Amino acid sequence: MYSPEYICLWHILDYSHKILLGLCVYIFGFTAVILNGWLTYAFVKSRLLTFRSHLLLLALCIASETKSLLTGFIFFGTSALAGRWIFGTSTCHLFAFLRQLLGVFQIMMLTLISVERYIMSRPKRKVDLPLRFYIIGIAMCWSCAIVFSLPPLLGYGSYNCDVSGTMCDLDWRMLTSQQIGFNIMLMTFGAIIPVMVILCCLWTANCHTIRTGEFRSFDQISFTKTTTVMTTLIFSFWMPQAVLSLWIFVQNLHPPRGIPVALSVISPVSVEAAEIIPVLCYLTYDIRLRSGLLEICDRIRRRKIPERLFSKK
């Protein structure tokens, strides 16, 4: 099914471009790990989880942090600085599988958050959704992620090096009938339909807020507005990757030609940068989350001050 040696047919970027790519991946990847770890720690140490909707945000941030650690700067950034993928074929397929798994989970989580916001925005909704809604929803997101990530390992679709030649990702070329079937299925059910559901749900939720204002609390209004901003920014950062994938999908060459160098660099960098958006959005727009995050910093500062005073004595 796979060749025994790692062979990459992409030669778009020169070594200087790959160095720039590696540095950007390291900067955004390390920042994403710090910020998402900060939010996860805040959920554990503060009272943020009393608001059930934040369970979805917690799951999204954990996925972002895991993606940055397992498929981000450690492997991708190091390979970019080396000028090629240096971890072998088997690791390439595992890397691409994890990247696909976590990427699909993220878009499914955004869909679930949007649906939850739509339900909670309905004027007649006076009580929170049951906890099982969130548990079952997150489990279904993981199930969908596995369904859309496992087939390439079984021969339906393919994982190979990306256009930068420094990491591995889903191969969007239409070379075999298995690739054609899987890529079309993924584009339809893993991208187009979720995006349409997200747009419809968030649009309706915000319209309900403007027309009636009959939310259960100010926290619900703030969470919906912040979710809308977060989703819009994430989609904006994912757009170069979508354009690049569609370019490869439509050209159907071996390998495709004429891909701009700028797009080849911006596409993976923007995907890495998108991992920091959820924390920044909720830190900026959501008062409840911002207070929880700043509370953690205040606790750490208070712990360090007495230790310094004691050491001076």
Side-chain angles (χ1 to χ4, degrees):
M1 180 170 56
Y2 297 113
S3 59
E5 297 182 357
Y6 179 79
I7 300 175
C8 186
L9 300 175
W10 299 96
H11 303 286
I12 297 175
L13 304 182
D14 59 27
Y15 187 65
S16 61
H17 295 137
K18 295 178 181 179
I19 291 293
L20 175 62
L21 175 61
L23 292 175
C24 292
V25 169
Y26 259 97
I27 292 172
F28 287 118
F30 185 76
T31 304
V33 170
I34 296 298
L35 291 179
N36 286 291
W38 180 23
L39 182 58
T40 303
Y41 184 76
F43 273 113
V44 174
K45 291 296 183 179
S46 65
R47 300 179 180 179
L48 294 178
L49 285 180
T50 56
F51 189 32
R52 290 179 180 174
S53 298
H54 285 163
L55 282 170
L56 304 180
L57 176 60
L58 176 61
L60 181 63
C61 287
I62 291 175
S64 297
E65 183 170 15
T66 305
K67 187 177 179 182
S68 297
L69 283 172
L70 297 183
T71 67
F73 64 98
I74 296 177
F75 293 94
F76 180 21
T78 303
S79 294
L81 293 177
R84 61 183 181 85
W85 178 260
I86 60 175
F87 297 101
T89 304
S90 299
T91 308
C92 169
H93 300 149
L94 178 60
F95 177 95
F97 166 74
L98 292 174
R99 190 173 180 87
Q100 176 78 359
L101 177 73
L102 295 168
V104 174
F105 176 76
Q106 286 176 316
I107 193 170
M108 293 302 168
M109 277 303 307
L110 291 176
T111 307
L112 178 61
I113 293 174
S114 302
V115 171
E116 190 261 358
R117 289 295 87 202
Y118 166 75
I119 296 174
M120 292 300 299
S121 71
R122 300 178 65 181
K124 296 182 180 180
R125 190 79 194 181
K126 302 298 181 181
V127 296
D128 290 337
L129 291 169
L131 182 60
R132 64 176 178 272
F133 170 85
Y134 299 93
I135 296 175
I136 294 174
I138 294 173
M140 290 181 63
C141 289
W142 279 117
S143 300
C144 291
I146 293 173
V147 168
F148 289 121
S149 304
L150 194 59
L153 295 179
L154 304 176
Y156 297 93
S158 175
Y159 289 135
N160 211 326
C161 66
D162 74 330
V163 295
S164 70
T166 58
M167 76 164 185
C168 296
D169 208 345
L170 180 69
D171 190 351
W172 284 99
R173 294 173 299 174
M174 312 288 278
L175 303 179
T176 65
S177 58
Q178 289 84 357
Q179 278 185 283
I180 294 174
F182 177 76
N183 291 348
I184 292 177
M185 180 190 69
L186 177 62
M187 182 173 292
T188 303
F189 296 100
I192 297 176
I193 293 179
V195 169
M196 293 177 63
V197 172
I198 290 170
L199 294 177
C200 291
C201 289
L202 290 181
W203 176 269
T204 306
N206 283 279
C207 288
H208 286 168
T209 304
I210 295 173
R211 292 174 184 174
T212 64
E214 295 185 13
F215 257 87
R216 189 168 180 266
S217 66
F218 174 78
D219 288 335
Q220 295 284 4
I221 299 176
S222 177
F223 191 74
T224 298
K225 292 181 177 179
T226 309
T227 299
T228 304
V229 174
M230 175 192 71
T231 305
T232 303
L233 289 176
I234 289 178
F235 281 169
S236 299
F237 276 73
W238 283 353
M239 188 59 66
Q241 179 65 41
V243 172
L244 180 60
S245 299
L246 187 61
W247 190 310
I248 299 172
F249 183 87
V250 171
Q251 279 198 346
N252 194 25
L253 297 176
H254 185 70
R257 302 172 183 173
I259 297 178
V261 172
L263 182 61
S264 302
V265 175
I266 293 174
S267 172
V269 170
S270 61
V271 172
E272 294 299 319
E275 307 302 332
I276 69 177
I277 290 178
V279 181
L280 293 181
C281 285
Y282 285 97
L283 183 62
T284 304
Y285 294 101
D286 194 294
I287 298 176
R288 184 185 181 94
L289 277 176
R290 182 167 65 245
S291 62
L293 289 169
L294 296 179
E295 179 185 352
I296 295 299
C297 294
D298 188 55
R299 288 181 184 179
I300 296 174
R301 181 180 61 84
R302 288 180 180 179
R303 288 177 183 176
K304 289 184 176 180
I305 290 176
E307 294 177 359
R308 292 175 181 175
L309 293 175
F310 182 77
S311 61
K312 288 181 181 180
K313 291 180 181 182

